[in-house]
Amino acid sequence: MDTPLNQATLEVDSPERMTELGRRLAKLLRPGDLVMLTGELGAGKTTLTRGLGEGLGVRGAVTSPTFVIARVHPSLVGGPALVHVDAYRLGGGLDEMEDLDLDVSLPDSVVVVEWGDGKVEELTDDRLHVLIHRVVGGTEATDDADDDRRTVVLNGIGGRWAGEDLLLG
């Protein structure tokens, strides 16, 4: 893994706040950006992407593209389209990803890839890698199975992310 030039860690305590984080992150994004999302099933990757779509002002409901692999959401406000990819079922390597023509979409769109580790890093030297971890543990009053708390680590990789305020302050 490349060393991040810029890193921030945020705490999120509900799906609504994960969506809001996506809306706030969208303000940093511009055409050509690649966002990789990493986290276990149910961690909030699609919820974050839904917020990105809202923040970018794109058409269509942002849902998991697991069965179609990729969905394109055109902008309704003259901004970049959102290309939402779920690479979970792809075997790996850049060959399968190239079949999706992401390299054609990348310069004009914001491309968000769930489960992209080891599959899309070669598309660009600059990317935002978002790691979402479930918070484990709690008090006796907390049922961990229903715990919506997440730690979100934003890793800005490449010169594009060197000067960005990833804390969104």
Side-chain angles (χ1 to χ4, degrees):
M1 181 174 158
D2 295 313
T3 304
L5 290 176
N6 192 353
Q7 186 176 64
T9 301
L10 306 163
E11 300 298 324
V12 177
D13 62 6
S14 69
E16 295 78 20
R17 293 212 189 267
M18 187 67 78
T19 301
E20 176 58 28
L21 174 60
R23 284 193 291 267
R24 290 171 51 210
L25 274 175
K27 294 176 183 172
L28 298 179
L29 299 176
R30 58 187 187 216
D33 282 343
L34 172 65
V35 180
M36 287 177 44
L37 302 179
T38 301
E40 63 192 41
L41 284 171
K45 297 179 296 295
T46 301
T47 302
L48 179 72
T49 306
R50 188 171 300 118
L52 290 173
E54 290 175 12
L56 290 170
V58 299
R59 184 178 74 215
V62 175
T63 60
S64 178
T66 299
F67 298 105
V68 295
I69 310 287
R71 271 198 184 94
V72 177
H73 298 274
S75 176
L76 295 171
V77 296
L82 172 68
V83 179
H84 185 198
V85 179
D86 186 329
Y88 184 78
R89 293 188 305 134
L90 299 179
L94 201 53
D95 290 341
E96 280 188 82
M97 295 304 291
E98 284 179 348
D99 289 342
L100 298 175
D101 288 331
L102 291 183
D103 51 340
V104 172
S105 301
L106 192 57
D108 302 317
S109 307
V110 170
V111 177
V112 177
V113 182
E114 298 185 30
W115 305 99
D117 294 28
K119 300 173 185 172
V120 297
E121 290 89 343
E122 294 177 36
L123 288 173
T124 178
D125 292 333
D126 298 307
R127 63 191 168 278
L128 181 62
H129 190 177
V130 180
L131 296 97
I132 305 172
H133 304 283
R134 288 178 187 247
V135 175
V136 180
T139 64
E140 288 181 34
T142 303
D143 178 5
D144 289 339
D146 294 327
D147 198 338
D148 289 327
R149 294 177 301 149
R150 305 287 189 266
T151 299
V152 179
V153 180
L154 306 171
N155 290 309
I157 299 167
R160 153 73 179 95
W161 296 99
E164 291 290 354
D165 178 10
L166 295 181
L167 287 174
L168 308 170

